Amino acid sequence: MFDKSEIDSRVVRAVHGLQENKPDPDFEIGLAEHLFANYTDDGLLELYARFVTGEGKIDTLMRRVIWRSRARRFGHGVTIASGVGFKHLETFEIGADVFIGAQTYIQGRFDGKCQIGNHVWIGPQSYFDARRLVIEDYVGWGPGAKVLGSAHTGLPIDVPIIQTDLEIKPVLIGAWSDIGTNAVVLPGVTIVKGSIVGAGALVTKDVPAYAIVAGVPARFLRWREGHEALENHE
């Protein structure tokens, strides 16, 4: 029989947030420039389909090269895991040392902006309605968490909701924040620096700096330990 008391908890050193940025090789950047000059958007999508599900080094390399060839900005040391999908890659600004987990989908819009800062870690099976989305530096994004950046107005009432206008609202995830597994962030929400959002939370309104929120809808639980000293310093 399993005895939990026989297993000690432990604290281990962080990995992703502490890694040192290393420039991508010149040949990789050159290949991205070649693809940009010689492939249409449809051609790049067809090429991406050949590498999207693979786990090998070439698959990982080619996913990164294709993203770099079309993104508005693309940093060094980015990892795009298998099965990651996207829409309107040309509106993406991706920082350095970003990890995007398997089967994540980032849905941009032709006139929108999706900005992901440096050292952001995104867990697998996440979803981003990235029509107007900013994720600042050093954000941890739990597996399956989602951003919704738009909603139908539902007016007038005498037509199907899906036929009514779409209202797009910006979403901002502040630096150093941590978003729990399967949390959902609704349109127009700002989560300020250093906040923690609990697993499964439904975030319907802004979250102040260094707050801990959880629940459906998400409610304030407490401040993070030491927040007063940080706020006074800032």
Side-chain angles (χ1 to χ4, degrees):
M1 182 176 178
F2 174 72
D3 186 354
K4 186 177 179 180
S5 65
E6 296 179 357
I7 301 177
D8 294 330
S9 64
R10 58 181 179 150
V11 176
V12 299
R13 186 175 172 82
V15 177
H16 178 79
L18 295 175
Q19 64 185 1
E20 182 180 347
N21 182 250
K22 298 179 181 178
D24 294 329
D26 291 341
F27 82 85
E28 184 177 321
I29 296 172
L31 179 55
E33 292 172 348
H34 172 78
L35 294 181
F36 177 77
N38 292 279
Y39 278 73
T40 64
D41 287 346
D42 289 342
L44 278 177
L45 285 173
E46 182 179 345
L47 183 63
Y48 189 75
R50 302 181 188 179
F51 301 101
V52 66
T53 60
E55 299 284 354
K57 291 183 178 179
I58 296 299
D59 301 296
T60 303
L61 169 70
M62 287 305 298
R63 287 194 293 268
R64 185 168 58 241
V65 166
I66 292 168
W67 276 54
R68 172 175 270 126
S69 73
R70 272 301 184 266
R72 187 178 295 166
R73 181 173 63 85
F74 196 86
H76 294 278
V78 175
T79 300
I80 301 164
S82 63
V84 173
F86 59 84
K87 191 171 184 179
H88 291 293
L89 186 57
E90 74 278 5
T91 67
F92 292 8
E93 299 179 13
I94 309 296
D97 291 309
V98 172
F99 175 86
I100 304 176
Q103 299 178 23
T104 290
Y105 192 83
I106 305 177
Q107 181 177 350
R109 179 181 160 91
F110 70 93
D111 59 354
K113 177 182 178 181
C114 171
Q115 180 179 333
I116 299 176
N118 301 320
H119 296 279
V120 171
W121 188 92
I122 297 171
Q125 299 183 340
S126 300
Y127 171 76
F128 299 90
D129 178 350
R131 302 161 206 255
R132 201 67 183 174
L133 173 66
V134 175
I135 300 176
E136 295 183 340
D137 297 344
Y138 291 97
V139 168
W141 192 269
K146 301 171 179 64
V147 164
L148 301 181
S150 59
H152 290 277
T153 63
L155 297 172
I157 201 170
D158 58 346
V159 300
I161 293 173
I162 200 171
Q163 292 182 356
T164 63
D165 291 343
L166 194 67
E167 184 178 13
I168 298 170
K169 295 182 179 180
V171 174
L172 169 65
I173 311 299
W176 304 7
S177 297
D178 191 78
I179 312 300
T181 298
N182 289 326
V184 177
V185 181
L186 293 189
V189 165
T190 293
I191 296 174
V192 187
K193 182 177 180 179
S195 303
I196 296 176
V197 174
L202 177 63
V203 187
T204 61
K205 58 185 179 180
D206 294 353
V207 178
Y210 305 111
I212 301 175
V213 302
V216 180
R219 290 183 171 86
F220 174 82
L221 297 182
R222 62 184 182 275
W223 299 108
R224 289 180 59 194
E225 183 177 352
H227 82 282
E228 293 176 343
L230 281 175
E231 287 187 334
N232 291 335
H233 177 74
E234 291 174 356

